[in-house]
Amino acid sequence: MNQTKIKEIFEKMEYSPAPENKEIAMNWLKDHKFKFGLFIDGKWQKPKSGKFFKTENPANGEKLALISEADKNDINHSVSAAKKAFPKWNDLSGHKRSRYLYAIARQLQKNSRLFAVLETLDNGKTIRETRDIDIPLSIRHFYHHAGWAQVLEKEFPDYTSIGPVGQIIPWNFPLLMLAWKVAPALAAGNTVVLKPAEFTSLTALLFAEICEQIGLPQGVLNVVTGPGETGSLLVEHPDLKKIAFTGSTEVGRLIREKTAATDKKLTLELGGKSPFIVFEDSDLDSAIEGIVDAIWFNQGQVCCAGSRLLVQESVSEKIIDRLKNRMSKLRVGNPLDKSMDMGAIIAPIQKKRIEKLVEQGKKEGANVWQWTGKLSKDCKGGCYFPPTFLTNVSPASMISQTEIFGPVLVTMTFRTPSEAIMLANNSKYGLSASVWSENINQALHIAPQLKCGVVWINCTNQFDAGVGFGGYRESGFGREGGNEGMREYLKKIEPKIYTEQFRIKPPKIKKIANKNLKIDQTAKLYINGKQSRPDSGYSLNIINSDGTLAGQISHGNRKDVRNAVEAASKASDWHKSTHHLRAQILYYLAENLEMRADEFQSRITSLTGSSKRESILEFETAISRIFTYAALADKHEGLIHDPPMRGLALALNEPIGVMGIICPDENPLLGMISMLLPALAQGNTVILVPSKPFALVATDFFQILETSDVPPGVVNIITGESHELAEHLSKHENVDGIWISGTKEECETVKKNSIGNLKIIWTNDGKKIDWFDKSQSEGREWLRRAAQVKNVWIPYGE
Ligand code: NDP
């Protein structure tokens, strides 16, 4: 090279094309004659519908292959294959299952280049990302879960697999989402029917081929391709014991509704509009690179994309200028070119959606700044959208609130840390957040206050198989990865005999005249630490087991529920108090209850008709249960993960938030204590609906709460008709979670009603719980249910 040429290169500093050879993937497609069947029961099958649809390369619009469209018959076939394969697979030792998972990991590793090129062709994401992120992380997932399979029995005693599970995944990380779902499911001993997204089926089909090659037993993994209806058929299939879904919040809601009347386990990993918070003391150059990764990684088609940039006012101008400068240097184009930063959008329909939302943003008054570079010739026919940055947006605007799922960033400013937290939490979603500050004290102070499942400090988009991932609020529930991810594919071993739960019919009133009846025995409601009259002004008779009138309770209504939710929301400092203080208050509660043992025991006897001995036993067990949760309040601690980075991830057990608890009828004191105490110990605030026929036990409890230093609003008790109050609670948008021990019908209704803000629900599925049996009704399992895990990633080093 002569000197002038070298000088020219230095002056222009332009990249030359660096294309990855696509031959390896094209040959694979050719070997399959560009047409694929369904993978069911270990064999490749033609779709019963005889229908195929085409899959295209988003980078140039070229057809890649024809994919089978599974119909109802195929779904039935695949589910019965998974059902048939389940007992044998489940009976294998953990070690044997581990060897299969290990073999999958090895085989993925050996074929990693083929997977990377195929994923880039099918999805349009850059080869740099598929090669360095999607495929290595998928491999890591199988290695990590081979480990869980090996140690399953020791690590999860008292737990067992679920059965055949249905898994539905999106197009943004096709192989990675498969790995996140298939690896834990198989490690736990379940069998799988997986539906990939219509746009991106190819790597799932190649994965099925790998499972065939390593000799995975027939029916353990089934891959059924097809449109959304195929997924819907899976959701509706009665023989699947769990649905795991990643995708839009809209479809997530539909799935919640469809599974409400079943006892299917459900995890939903949904959308987000995640904040990226930059404080004035952050390393601004690093933050700029962080922003590039947060929003332009995978063309912004990432559920946890940092799409809302919140910048401290003093550095806002600097950040905006530097970011625009950095954007102008981004390389957008052929995703197979190894030096590209951004590739193609998945499909024209998605591109149109992005365009429409940006246009709407403009109409709202936003200033739009876009990458103006030129696409190369080989992008012709492809689907590209420029990196886009919107300023002058308000926090409540559509563009700040809607998940765009494209390379579009909006920015807003804040002055103080508390304003940053308020802005960050001003979203219906709660998937992730990124916090940038060189002051680690500040960053660690902010992290727990952000309502989301993952916080990255001075980094972004970090993932690992050993660290749980998942959201709060409308970003879904359940976690993938790590210990908590494994639990989503396991269930507690249940006692063999279960009886159906029913509501107790109170006896008919025999004689109104009750010698003990005082002038007014109408118990009030307990809201915000005070006894208050019900909004309706109505009361309900409570009858003793001998037919005498025991007293009256208030008939709570929607307005009372609203007041109680408001009080519970305001009492969120309960969570911020130390674990030690919470434990002390719970012990004090037991102490004060014990002082009124006779009163409570005789109340239980007269209301339920149980013998004196039985009432004493119930009372003493309740006291012991309070002690258990006081004891565990400072022991349900999180974990420190050591992911493969220079850093740590702290898995924190955070409370769900405001919880509605609907109590069973049997053992009115013990049932109520067993549900209330773990929620309180974990830092939740509660609206408690006691059993109606025995509600006087709960109203007697008001005074125990009043004298035990339980802060106002932490426990609110609303009496009345359980099903009415359950409905109001489950429809309330500020209630974050509901526990119900009720009839099958009540449980179904609560699940259905909760789709508005996708509450975290636990129900007894209409099965009676033995409140004296500790294995069912006491311990860490209840604390786990009362918590959601937040993972805070903290890198270290210079
Ligand atoms: P969807 O939620 O529609 O798709 C996710 C998966 O569910 C796909 O496999 C899809 O099949 C399947 N599916 C679609 N409808 C149903 C149904 N009724 N029952 C069961 N399964 C169903 O997302 P889209 O791909 O359509 O994208 C739409 C929007 O969703 C995006 O613009 C983005 O905002 C958001 N999204 C969010 C993701 C996330 O991870 N948070 C991931 C993907 C999308 P098929 O692909 O065949 O339609």
Side-chain angles (χ1 to χ4, degrees), residues 168-172 177 195-199 226-233 235 245-252 254-255 258 269-272 302-304 350 353 403-405 431:
I168 301 165
I169 54 174
W171 42 258
N172 54 345
M177 289 303 106
K195 190 203 97 67
E198 201 176 344
F199 291 134
E229 293 87 87
T230 309
S232 187
L233 288 167
V235 171
F245 172 80
T246 299
S248 60
T249 297
E250 193 190 353
V251 176
L254 268 177
I255 295 178
K258 277 192 183 168
E269 301 288 349
L270 310 174
V302 184
C303 47
C304 53
Q350 188 66 15
R353 184 173 181 272
E403 181 183 43
I404 299 176
F405 225 62
L431 194 51

Side-chain angles (χ1 to χ4, degrees), residues 624-659:
S624 158
R625 194 139 297 164
I626 302 178
F627 257 64
T628 297
Y629 289 109
L632 288 175
D634 60 358
K635 294 175 190 66
H636 186 230
E637 289 165 322
L639 284 170
I640 300 179
H641 296 299
D642 202 357
M645 70 184 289
R646 281 204 304 165
L648 300 169
L650 312 181
L652 308 175
N653 288 323
E654 293 199 338
I656 290 172
V658 174
M659 287 181 67

Side-chain angles (χ1 to χ4, degrees), residues 465-768:
V467 185
F469 180 89
Y472 285 19
R473 299 168 158 179
E474 291 186 34
S475 292
F477 44 77
R479 294 289 179 268
E480 292 187 310
N483 178 298
E484 55 269 37
M486 277 303 292
R487 276 180 207 281
E488 304 286 352
Y489 285 95
L490 293 163
K491 64 175 183 196
K492 200 117 204 275
I493 296 169
E494 295 173 339
K496 290 266 176 313
I497 310 157
Y498 255 135
T499 32
E500 200 177 316
Q501 171 117 339
F502 55 89
R503 287 286 174 193
I504 291 169
K505 267 204 178 145
K508 287 235 165 67
I509 193 159
K510 277 193 203 147
K511 1 173 187 156
I512 291 279
N514 183 334
K515 278 185 229 148
N516 301 327
L517 195 64
K518 306 226 173 73
I519 301 166
D520 180 16
Q521 277 223 333
T522 305
K524 297 193 179 83
L525 306 174
Y526 188 69
I527 300 175
N528 204 22
K530 291 193 209 84
Q531 300 195 28
S532 48
R533 289 186 196 290
D535 169 66
S536 69
Y538 293 126
S539 52
L540 300 163
N541 283 343
I542 298 298
I543 318 295
N544 283 320
S545 64
D546 65 2
T548 55
L549 183 67
Q552 289 180 320
I553 54 161
S554 298
H555 189 165
N557 67 10
R558 189 196 305 268
K559 184 135 187 262
D560 301 313
V561 167
R562 278 212 305 261
N563 292 340
V565 173
E566 198 183 327
S569 306
K570 283 192 187 144
S572 59
D573 274 359
W574 176 241
H575 155 54
K576 291 183 199 148
S577 61
T578 64
H579 294 69
H580 172 72
L581 179 67
R582 281 209 297 272
Q584 294 301 299
I585 291 176
L586 300 188
Y587 281 125
Y588 196 25
L589 201 72
E591 202 180 295
N592 285 326
L593 183 60
E594 176 114 304
M595 289 204 309
R596 293 175 53 183
D598 291 346
E599 190 189 318
F600 272 87
Q601 286 158 13
S602 63
R603 177 69 94 186
I604 295 171
T605 300
S606 57
L607 283 175
T608 65
S610 57
S611 68
K612 193 165 180 222
R613 216 184 101 254
E614 285 166 334
S615 300
I616 291 173
L617 181 67
E618 175 169 349
F619 184 84
E620 286 179 352
T621 314
I623 295 282
S624 158
R625 194 139 297 164
I626 302 178
F627 257 64
T628 297
Y629 289 109
L632 288 175
D634 60 358
K635 294 175 190 66
H636 186 230
E637 289 165 322
L639 284 170
I640 300 179
H641 296 299
D642 202 357
M645 70 184 289
R646 281 204 304 165
L648 300 169
L650 312 181
L652 308 175
N653 288 323
E654 293 199 338
I656 290 172
V658 174
M659 287 181 67
I661 295 183
I662 297 116
C663 298
D665 281 352
E666 68 278 3
N667 307 118
L669 178 67
L670 182 58
M672 176 179 84
I673 292 292
S674 303
M675 293 182 79
L676 175 64
L677 265 288
L680 292 186
Q682 187 53 54
N684 295 283
T685 57
V686 172
I687 299 102
L688 185 106
V689 176
S691 135
K692 180 189 153 199
F694 310 127
L696 289 175
V697 171
T699 58
D700 291 346
F701 195 67
F702 293 172
Q703 283 171 10
I704 311 292
L705 291 167
E706 279 165 351
T707 51
S708 304
D709 295 345
V710 177
V714 170
V715 182
N716 305 276
I717 300 180
I718 310 281
T719 53
E721 299 292 350
S722 297
H723 66 277
E724 280 174 18
L725 296 168
E727 181 180 337
H728 301 324
L729 279 168
S730 51
K731 285 187 175 166
H732 199 299
E733 294 286 307
N734 292 338
V735 173
D736 305 301
I738 305 252
W739 285 358
I740 174 165
S741 176
T743 64
K744 204 164 189 344
E745 202 185 349
E746 286 171 349
C747 297
E748 283 171 25
T749 316
V750 161
K751 285 192 219 167
K752 263 195 196 135
N753 285 338
S754 69
I755 60 168
N757 66 342
L758 289 167
K759 293 175 181 62
I760 297 179
I761 306 288
W762 171 83
T763 79
N764 60 330
D765 284 320
K767 295 171 190 166
K768 207 166 183 166

